Amino acid sequence: MNRRARGVAFLAAAAVFAVFFTLACTGLPHFGTADHPYGTRAVAAAVRQHTANVISSVNFDQRALDTLGEESILFGAVLGSVVLLRRARDEDRAEPAPRPVLPSTLLLGAGLLPVTVLVGGYVVAHGQLSPGGGFQGGVLLATGLHLAYVAADYRVLRRVRPLAVFAALDAIGAGAFTALGFAGLIAGGAFLENVLPLGTFNQLASGGLVPLVNAAVGVEVASGVIVLVAQFLDQAVEIDERAARDAGRRAGGDGL
């Protein structure tokens, strides 16, 4: 397909999309109105399902199938990065050299690491009750772990980050979401239908399937981000170390 044909195809698709998007927008409530049909139904469904955080109810119950797709995209992105950034045959992995760290940076990073991990765990565990959830809490958990890199050096991060374990947890978290969806089918309902006991409203064990799905997302997001960042960090350290060795060899060769 030449450039002109691609342009025509794009304009035709854009025109169709513009027409249907405009028609969809005409059916929306007017801006500033007190009438919010979707919001009203979502809040009512969240209360009925004993999920205090309406956003988590929408993400992990009312449209959990969409969230499964979003999680699968993250899992696919991590998997693709691992494949693309894996060590090639002509690349050598060098041991990273220690780097000096300011005492203030060390103190701040070491102090924030446990706090960040604790907050991340809290956000995941209370996702069905308060703002947050598996996606936000998972990123917080991954960020807290990488404070070891900021506060110390790459070697410390490697010791507290068993990459094989987190890669397995990434796959387990992604698979657990799908496996939980079959609970509805086993109970005679639909895939990802909330069929577990709903518990007491505004309690940690409330929401039925929501806290379990939320926890699976938290595990997958935290592990996926850790594995993803690890690939880029490994590649950066490897390239830097190899560049330094090559520069040293060239300097030695010039001296000869």
Side-chain angles (χ1 to χ4, degrees):
M1 182 181 291
N2 57 33
R3 184 174 181 179
R4 180 181 178 83
R6 290 197 302 268
V8 172
F10 169 77
L11 291 176
V16 173
F17 174 81
V19 170
F20 282 96
F21 184 75
T22 301
L23 292 174
C25 289
T26 57
L28 293 175
H30 295 294
F31 182 76
T33 181
D35 181 26
H36 298 282
Y38 183 81
T40 302
R41 290 178 173 85
V43 173
V47 173
R48 186 171 59 251
Q49 295 293 85
H50 294 190
T51 307
N53 183 9
V54 178
I55 303 301
S56 289
S57 177
V58 172
N59 288 336
F60 305 125
D61 189 358
Q62 301 175 38
R63 64 169 192 87
L65 189 61
D66 293 348
T67 305
L68 176 60
E70 295 166 4
E71 187 195 39
S72 300
I73 291 172
L74 174 60
F75 181 75
V78 174
L79 183 60
S81 299
V82 171
V83 172
L84 291 174
L85 297 177
R86 69 187 186 279
R87 186 173 62 178
R89 293 180 179 178
D90 59 343
E91 293 179 335
D92 297 325
R93 189 178 299 279
E95 184 67 21
R99 295 289 187 268
V101 178
L102 293 174
S104 56
T105 303
L106 176 60
L107 179 62
L108 183 63
L112 285 178
L113 193 156
V115 174
T116 306
V117 172
L118 180 62
V119 171
Y122 178 91
V123 171
V124 173
H126 291 77
Q128 72 277 13
L129 303 179
S130 56
F135 285 100
Q136 299 87 339
V139 174
L140 276 171
L141 288 170
T143 301
L145 187 64
H146 284 91
L147 285 174
Y149 175 63
V150 176
D153 61 19
Y154 186 71
R155 297 174 303 167
V156 174
L157 175 62
R158 285 198 311 188
R159 286 197 294 268
V160 300
R161 185 208 63 192
L163 199 55
V165 173
F166 284 109
L169 287 175
D170 184 24
I172 291 172
F177 197 144
T178 304
L180 288 170
F182 286 103
L185 295 176
I186 294 173
F191 182 72
L192 282 172
E193 183 177 346
N194 195 343
V195 295
L196 296 183
L198 299 177
T200 304
F201 183 79
N202 210 27
Q203 296 297 314
L204 193 61
S206 62
L209 197 65
V210 172
L212 298 180
V213 175
N214 176 64
V217 170
V219 171
E220 198 275 331
V221 171
S223 304
V225 172
I226 290 171
V227 173
L228 184 63
V229 175
Q231 300 305 314
F232 287 100
L233 282 178
D234 289 353
Q235 189 75 4
V237 171
E238 180 179 288
I239 291 173
D240 290 342
E241 293 296 331
R242 188 168 64 250
R245 292 199 307 272
D246 292 344
R249 290 170 183 168
R250 287 195 298 271
D254 295 340
L256 293 174

